[in-house]
């Protein structure tokens, strides 16, 4: 049977009463912006969009203190311009901008807040490895027409929608509106995202873990023990051999896990302790956690459910354990035993 388009899927969800017209418009606008980003990313060296933003004399650095790629800046601009005028948003926030961006008074305003990492994993862009866009949707608090940063600081359980687009061999959009997690593949001839997997289910068990092993000496003791037991394989406490993958693009690693299972970990380490971790809560960990939970997986900071974290800052960082439910729980047991002094 011919797959249905994203538009038809969203109209079905709206007629079923699961989303309203504004949220449908928001998702369509973001998906269209991601198609534009996909085209820019796909040009590679032919598009004069690779390399660092800014000039050799003054590199462009974002709020995270990270060098910005030209495509970081371009992707951010594409998402800003696509979402400002539609009347579905009250404000938006981005990894690339220090503060949230209210919708200009010249445009109509809506009830949603959009947060995004416009191009996650952009350090991989110049070596042609998959990157992605991550987005999260919250409701603007009642009565607020000029939302400030503080109005975005809602726990992950408050999300009404989350998704990512991965720019890989194919461009895929993975989306949840709280009723399962669904995957769409971009049909470049039609220019439409087509529903290729309805209701993704992450296997609860896995033999595959994703972590940056070069940080091992900086990890806390329970992390050292957990990974050592994975590496000990079938002769060790876990009684089975494990495989490892690390793309250094969260979108690519999480997409693999949503597709075939696994656990992705970016733990707290001594290098990152003062920052609270590497990955950002509001537009990386929370949307990915919503998607993974809706696909039957689990997501944690290592000491608590990710979606329950009460944010304290727009660019707050957190440790991330996400993926196959039983493996995430196994990793959490090492932390719980350590905290209990065992
Ligand atoms: P490291 C990309 O910069 C990112 O935010 C995630 O997409 C990715 O999982 C992680 O950082 C990679 O971190 O320390 O391995 O470069």
């Amino acid at each position: 049977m011919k797959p249905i388009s994203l538009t038809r899927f969203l109209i079905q969800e709206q007629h079923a009463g699961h989303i309203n017209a504004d949220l449908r418009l928001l998702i369509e606008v973001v998906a269209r912006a991601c198609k534009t980003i996909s085209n820019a990313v796909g040009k590679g060296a032919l598009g004069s969009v690779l390399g660092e933003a800014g000039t050799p004399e003054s590199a462009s650095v974002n709020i995270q203190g990270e060098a910005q790629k030209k495509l970081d800046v371009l992707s951010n601009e594409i998402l800003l311009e696509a979402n400002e005028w539609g009347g579905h948003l009250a404000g938006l926030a981005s990894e690339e901008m220090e503060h949230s961006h209210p919708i200009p008074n010249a445009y109509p305003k809506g009830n949603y807040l959009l947060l995004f990492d416009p191009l996650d994993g952009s350090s991989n862009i110049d070596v042609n490895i998959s990157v992605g866009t991550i987005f999260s949707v919250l409701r603007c608090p009642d009565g607020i027409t000029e939302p400030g940063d503080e109005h975005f600081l809602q726990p992950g359980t408050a999300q009404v929608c989350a998704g990512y687009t991965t720019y890989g061999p194919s461009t895929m959009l993975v989306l949840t509106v709280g009723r399962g997690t669904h995957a769409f593949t971009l049909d470049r001839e039609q220019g439409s995202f087509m529903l290729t997997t309805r209701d993704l289910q992450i296997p609860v068990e896995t033999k595959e873990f994703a972590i940056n092993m070069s940080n091992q000496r900086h990890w806390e003791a329970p992390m050292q023990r957990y990974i050592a037991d994975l590496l000990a394989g079938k002769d060790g406490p876990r009684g089975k051999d494990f495989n490892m993958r690390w793309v250094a693009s969260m979108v690519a690693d999480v997409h693999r896990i949503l597709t075939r299972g696994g656990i992705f970990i970016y733990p707290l380490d001594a290098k990152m302790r003062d920052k609270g971790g590497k990955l950002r809560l509001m537009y990386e960990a929370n949307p990915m956690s919503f998607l993974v939970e809706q696909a039957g997986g689990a997501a944690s900071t290592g000491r608590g459910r990710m979606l329950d974290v009460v944010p304290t800052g727009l660019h707050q960082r957190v440790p991330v354990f996400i993926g196959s439910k039983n493996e995430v729980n196994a990793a959490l047991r090492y932390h719980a035993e350590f905290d209990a002094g065992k």
Side-chain angles (χ1 to χ4, degrees):
M1 183 175 150
K2 188 170 179 298
I4 63 171
S5 67
L6 173 66
T7 298
R8 184 165 178 184
F9 173 84
L10 293 174
I11 287 170
Q12 287 174 352
E13 288 298 293
Q14 184 182 342
H15 288 174
H18 302 141
I19 60 173
N20 63 28
D22 267 0
L23 186 53
R24 176 160 71 85
L25 172 62
L26 187 162
I27 297 168
E28 297 255 40
V29 166
V30 170
R32 198 172 306 121
C34 289
K35 280 189 276 189
T36 305
I37 294 170
S38 175
N39 291 338
V41 165
K43 287 193 172 69
L46 299 174
S48 69
V49 288
L50 296 185
E52 306 293 326
T55 62
E57 296 69 42
S58 66
S60 172
V61 176
N62 65 12
I63 169 66
Q64 323 286 341
E66 296 163 344
Q68 284 183 308
K69 299 286 188 183
K70 288 177 188 166
L71 273 169
D72 282 320
V73 175
L74 177 61
S75 302
N76 192 57
E77 286 165 0
I78 289 168
L79 282 159
L80 279 179
E81 285 157 16
N83 281 286
E84 274 195 321
W85 45 268
H88 50 285
L89 292 184
L92 42 83
S94 166
E95 181 198 38
E96 300 300 332
M97 302 188 302
E98 183 172 2
H99 295 293
S100 57
H101 178 86
I103 297 303
N105 288 325
Y107 296 128
K109 295 184 184 171
N111 301 316
Y112 292 112
L113 301 175
L114 175 66
L115 303 96
F116 51 81
D117 179 355
L119 202 63
D120 179 69
S122 54
S123 58
N124 282 319
I125 268 285
D126 296 342
V127 292
N128 198 28
I129 290 174
S130 297
V131 292
T133 298
I134 310 172
F135 62 93
S136 170
V137 184
L138 298 168
R139 286 188 183 83
C140 187
D142 290 342
I144 302 295
T145 54
E146 302 280 339
D149 292 2
E150 68 277 13
H151 298 111
F152 287 77
L153 302 185
Q154 302 174 34
T157 47
Q159 293 175 99
V160 294
C161 171
Y164 63 79
T165 305
T166 174
Y167 310 111
S170 66
T171 287
M172 293 188 73
L173 169 69
V174 178
L175 177 73
T176 185
V177 292
R179 293 171 36 78
T181 294
H182 313 289
F184 301 80
T185 303
L186 180 60
D187 176 336
R188 291 193 184 282
E189 288 157 16
Q190 285 191 68
S192 303
F193 280 106
M194 305 304 285
L195 179 62
T196 39
T197 306
R198 187 189 286 271
D199 213 7
L200 279 162
Q201 290 298 313
I202 302 181
V204 293
E205 297 290 349
T206 186
K207 294 182 179 178
E208 196 159 70
F209 67 100
I211 196 165
N212 183 338
M213 286 297 290
S214 70
N215 296 323
Q216 184 181 15
R217 65 188 183 285
H218 302 298
W219 296 337
E220 298 176 291
M223 264 312 293
Q224 299 274 1
R225 201 160 68 82
Y226 168 67
I227 296 294
D229 286 354
L230 297 186
L231 295 175
K234 60 181 181 301
D235 303 328
R238 299 300 307 270
K240 61 181 182 178
D241 289 340
F242 283 78
N243 188 29
M244 198 196 97
R245 287 284 183 275
W246 187 250
V247 183
S249 269
M250 186 185 196
V251 173
D253 279 314
V254 171
H255 186 74
R256 184 191 59 253
I257 289 166
L258 272 164
T259 307
R260 73 183 189 206
I263 182 170
F264 170 102
I265 307 175
Y266 212 112
L268 200 59
D269 67 41
K271 288 189 305 179
M272 289 274 168
R273 179 174 301 284
D274 61 327
K275 290 184 178 175
K278 161 93 181 199
L279 299 177
R280 277 62 56 144
L281 173 66
M282 296 306 295
Y283 39 78
E284 289 175 335
N286 269 346
M288 288 307 200
S289 299
F290 189 16
L291 289 159
V292 163
E293 283 199 3
Q294 285 290 313
S300 170
T301 62
R303 266 114 181 169
R305 184 188 180 209
M306 186 66 71
L307 295 183
D308 290 338
V309 173
V310 178
T312 54
L314 203 52
H315 303 290
Q316 175 179 348
R317 296 166 182 258
V318 287
V320 177
F321 295 72
I322 191 168
S324 293
K325 181 177 286 188
N326 291 357
E327 196 53 43
V328 170
N329 290 335
L332 299 185
R333 276 196 298 277
Y334 283 74
H335 287 75
E337 288 167 6
F338 175 79
D339 293 346
K342 286 180 186 170

